[in-house]
């Protein structure tokens, strides 16, 4: 961890193992539903982060990238988990046929890559994760946007 405030955590990710470790730590302190927006350029580690988080939450099946299907559903610690990748859509109107009502379940974990492409059609984020390049590695900035997100980051900072 590099820096922490009440609503933000910055984390150095020198390699993919560090990305997996951060996601695993987050999974260890998740005890309620959460909506997480994953931002970053291509190759920054959004899918790797989502895959590691879902695996750490006990998803036993292969966690696929939803690049072509747009959405994949899982059971994670007896709660629904949804992983969306909106890279291939042009705008939120294309999401109408996906049946996104299930994403609003309070106990669900919702991970959204490229959320800006679904603005207005997605549930509001509790946590905003920004992944980017930092030299040979990556960097993660986590920002709590709601009280649920703040509780999750506070538990992570103590973990």
């Amino acid at each position: 961890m590099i820096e922490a405030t009440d609503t933000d955590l910055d984390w150095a990710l020198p390699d993919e193992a560090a990305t997996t470790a951060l996601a695993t730590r987050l999974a260890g302190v998740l005890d309620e539903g959460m909506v997480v927006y994953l931002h970053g350029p291509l190759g920054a580690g959004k899918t790797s982060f989502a895959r590691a988080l879902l695996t750490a939450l006990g998803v036993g099946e292969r966690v696929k990238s939803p690049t072509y299907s747009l959405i994949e559903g899982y059971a994670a610690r007896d709660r629904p988990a949804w992983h969306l990748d909106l890279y291939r859509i042009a705008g939120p109107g294309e999401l109408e046929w996906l049946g996104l009502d299930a994403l609003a379940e309070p106990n669900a974990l919702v991970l959204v890559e490229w959320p800006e492409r679904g603005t207005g059609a997605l549930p509001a984020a509790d946590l905003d994760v920004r992944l980017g390049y930092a030299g040979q590695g990556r960097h993660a900035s986590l920002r709590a946007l709601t009280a649920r997100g703040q509780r999750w980051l506070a538990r992570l900072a103590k973990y």
Side-chain angles (χ1 to χ4, degrees), residues 138-149:
R138 307 286 191 274
H139 176 267
S141 294
L142 289 70
R143 169 167 278 176
L145 303 174
T146 65
R148 284 195 325 179

Side-chain angles (χ1 to χ4, degrees), residues 50-72:
R51 182 176 289 126
L53 181 61
L54 291 165
T55 299
L57 287 170
V59 172
E61 62 195 273
R62 184 172 83 82
V63 177
K64 301 181 292 184
S65 171
T67 299
Y68 294 101
S69 61
L70 300 181
I71 187 168
E72 293 289 338

Side-chain angles (χ1 to χ4, degrees), residues 123-135:
D126 295 300
L127 187 67
D128 196 60
V129 177
R130 296 192 179 268
L131 297 161
Y133 294 100

Side-chain angles (χ1 to χ4, degrees), residues 108-120:
L109 172 65
V110 180
L111 305 170
V112 185
E113 297 182 44
W114 305 96
E116 62 277 5
R117 297 180 184 212
T119 301

Side-chain angles (χ1 to χ4, degrees), residues 10-11 17 41 47 55 76 80-81 96 105 111 156-157:
D10 289 329
W11 215 283
T47 300
T55 299
E96 290 179 27
E105 183 178 327
L111 305 170
L156 177 65

Side-chain angles (χ1 to χ4, degrees), residues 62-115:
R62 184 172 83 82
V63 177
K64 301 181 292 184
S65 171
T67 299
Y68 294 101
S69 61
L70 300 181
I71 187 168
E72 293 289 338
Y74 303 96
R77 288 194 189 151
D78 299 323
R79 74 168 34 100
W82 304 99
H83 181 195
L84 290 79
D85 184 336
L86 305 183
Y87 180 73
R88 298 183 65 230
I89 70 161
E94 294 182 28
L95 297 175
E96 290 179 27
W97 59 271
L98 284 179
L100 297 180
D101 295 345
L103 303 181
E105 183 178 327
N107 196 38
L109 172 65
V110 180
L111 305 170
V112 185
E113 297 182 44
W114 305 96

